[in-house]
Amino acid sequence: MILSLPDAEATRNFGMALGRSLSAGTIILLQGDLGAGKTTLVQGIAEGLGISDSIESPTFTLINEYFTGRIPLYHLDLYRLEPEEAEALHLESYWDGLERDLGLVAIEWAERLQYKPENYLQICLSYLDTGRQIELIGNGDLLDWQLEI
């Protein structure tokens, strides 16, 4: 599915729709250049989950965890990492449900993952002169996923 979004507000609103519709255990792999809207999308997801905390990209902290919404939100940013460094974080603990409560996992710069979870929703963001374009690709259980707005 490919969507055109005219501005940051539309990107945030789309994220809100995702936050309202996705369930615990969903992993979102975000890809796109700097400024494409990855963090804006996650801010909308958080709002859709009912999280009122300020959502900033965890570029330096790598992982921000939010527990005040209907399900936890785990926001990861792999921008500063090499693939080997990302693997050393054992990120599967965020989606296997063994060490942490299952929540929604949003991973910025997901192309730095050496391995991907079995089920995920990949969102590729592109910045265009007319706004943003988002391509959604489901994998595994999310292969036939459809957004309900």
Side-chain angles (χ1 to χ4, degrees):
M1 172 190 324
I2 296 178
L3 301 170
S4 294
L5 302 171
D7 54 26
E9 182 179 351
T11 303
R12 188 179 183 103
N13 288 339
F14 179 74
M16 287 173 54
L18 288 174
R20 287 191 299 264
S21 68
L22 294 173
S23 60
T26 301
I27 298 102
I28 301 173
L29 305 182
L30 297 162
Q31 294 179 270
D33 292 334
L34 288 170
K38 295 179 296 295
T39 300
T40 300
L41 185 70
V42 175
Q43 290 168 341
I45 290 169
E47 193 170 338
L49 290 171
I51 297 169
S52 59
D53 299 343
S54 176
I55 307 297
E56 306 297 329
S57 182
T59 303
F60 294 101
T61 58
L62 302 180
I63 302 167
N64 288 337
E65 301 176 342
Y66 305 94
F67 299 100
T68 59
R70 68 175 176 85
I71 58 173
L73 171 63
Y74 304 111
H75 183 195
L76 294 74
D77 187 328
L78 307 180
Y79 178 72
R80 298 182 326 116
L81 301 180
E82 295 297 323
E84 302 79 28
E85 295 171 309
E87 183 177 9
L89 293 175
H90 301 287
L91 299 177
E92 64 276 359
S93 69
Y94 283 93
W95 57 77
D96 64 15
L98 299 176
E99 296 179 32
R100 291 175 173 77
D101 291 337
L102 281 179
L104 196 148
V105 181
I107 305 173
E108 294 190 36
W109 299 96
E111 59 270 25
R112 293 196 164 90
L113 290 172
Q114 285 192 319
Y115 62 91
K116 293 181 177 154
E118 190 173 312
N119 302 302
Y120 59 86
L121 179 62
Q122 182 174 331
I123 301 178
C124 303
L125 297 100
S126 303
Y127 188 77
L128 308 172
D129 290 339
T130 57
R132 294 183 171 107
Q133 177 176 289
I134 293 182
E135 181 177 8
L136 294 108
I137 304 164
N139 187 66
D141 291 345
L142 292 170
L143 186 61
D144 297 320
W145 178 81
Q146 294 293 319
L147 178 65
E148 296 177 20
I149 299 178

